[in-house]
Amino acid sequence: MVRPAKPDELGRILEIYAAARRYMAENGNPAQWGSSYPRRELLEEDLRRGQLYVVTEGDKIHGAFVLALGEEPTYAEMENGAWEHDGPYGTIHRVAGDGTGKGVFAQCVAYCRGRMECLRIDTHERNGTMRHLIEKHGFTRRGVIHVEDGSPRIAYEFDGASGENG
């Protein structure tokens, strides 16, 4: 089940992000989130904005993600491609699982598709697990964007209205 995160769950959410950072580092992608991303303050802001969600099974939280509706500033410029859809979209950020829950990304995407027809997401080139999941769930690679620190990310789009994806 997916639902909005609650402030008193922030400790568990931070544990999930720590597990995700360990997994990425062990699988050849130590740079994407480093040793501390996302910071508590960023997650607190996500909570205030009502865009931080958790994936649960029973009373246990197994995953977390952000669904941000509206323009994503880092998506304004793209190399080696272009966005297909120019209307409203939602951006999926900071998807993480604790490694014990199954289908965290699938539940995330299903929930997001229920909220917005066009979705965008990006990931680091070395994040093979996430690239596989993104493509498996019907997103199309569009090009390369650069995040706030200037590092490149592969950008993907899902447009449910066009029938082109999924």
Side-chain angles (χ1 to χ4, degrees), residues 79-141:
E79 295 175 357
N80 304 318
W83 297 114
E84 193 72 21
H85 179 82
D86 62 0
Y89 64 90
T91 303
I92 302 171
H93 285 302
R94 297 187 276 289
V95 180
D98 66 2
T100 67
K102 299 294 181 206
V104 168
F105 188 73
Q107 290 183 63
C108 162
V109 170
Y111 180 83
C112 294
R113 285 181 183 169
R115 302 270 320 271
M116 188 62 93
E117 284 186 344
C118 182
L119 297 170
R120 295 178 181 175
I121 190 169
D122 64 84
T123 194
H124 196 281
E125 179 181 36
R126 297 184 88 177
N127 195 338
T129 299
M130 185 57 70
R131 287 189 0 254
H132 169 77
L133 288 170
I134 290 168
E135 293 167 11
K136 175 182 172 182
H137 286 87
F139 287 78
T140 302
R141 184 177 175 153

Side-chain angles (χ1 to χ4, degrees), residues 49-67:
R49 291 179 182 206
Q51 60 188 26
L52 180 60
Y53 296 87
V54 293
V55 179
T56 65
E57 185 178 322
D59 61 354
K60 179 91 169 159
I61 298 171
H62 289 287
F65 67 91
V66 167
L67 174 60

